Amino acid sequence: MRRPITEVVSREIGIGADTRPRWREPEKARASPQATRQDRKRIKEVKRDLLRKDRALAETAALLVLSKKVEAIFRKSEDE
């Protein structure tokens, strides 16, 4: 007779049989499929927004570096 995987794993890591039932989440604590889809959609939106902001930050940093270089060049030419 095959044992359930939870029993096998719990024995391997030394968890007692009385603890195993607490591993499972109660049904009411689980997210519905609709909530899961909404969460995935929201995660995708947040990742897209983060990528957009990362690109904007990189562009701003590049412009700052360039402006400092231009400023240094003009300061140097004024000194001559």
Side-chain angles (χ1 to χ4, degrees):
M1 184 169 119
R2 298 186 78 172
R3 294 185 179 139
I5 189 72
T6 54
E7 183 179 334
V8 174
V9 172
S10 64
R11 282 183 187 224
E12 286 179 4
I13 60 176
I15 294 176
D18 58 329
T19 306
R20 279 198 318 264
R22 288 185 268 159
W23 281 8
R24 296 188 180 269
E25 282 185 282
E27 279 296 319
K28 61 184 176 188
R30 292 183 183 170
S32 68
Q34 181 182 4
T36 303
R37 279 192 300 275
Q38 289 172 346
D39 289 344
R40 285 187 183 136
K41 184 178 179 181
R42 179 70 183 133
I43 289 168
K44 191 175 182 179
E45 290 171 1
V46 169
K47 284 181 177 181
R48 193 174 333 142
D49 191 40
L50 181 61
L51 181 60
R52 182 183 59 79
K53 289 178 181 180
D54 280 345
R55 288 176 179 162
L57 181 61
E59 183 178 351
T60 303
L63 290 171
L64 181 62
V65 168
L66 287 174
S67 69
K68 287 185 178 187
K69 286 183 179 184
V70 167
E71 185 180 314
I73 290 169
F74 281 115
R75 207 175 322 127
K76 191 175 189 180
S77 64
E78 288 174 1
D79 292 341
E80 292 174 356

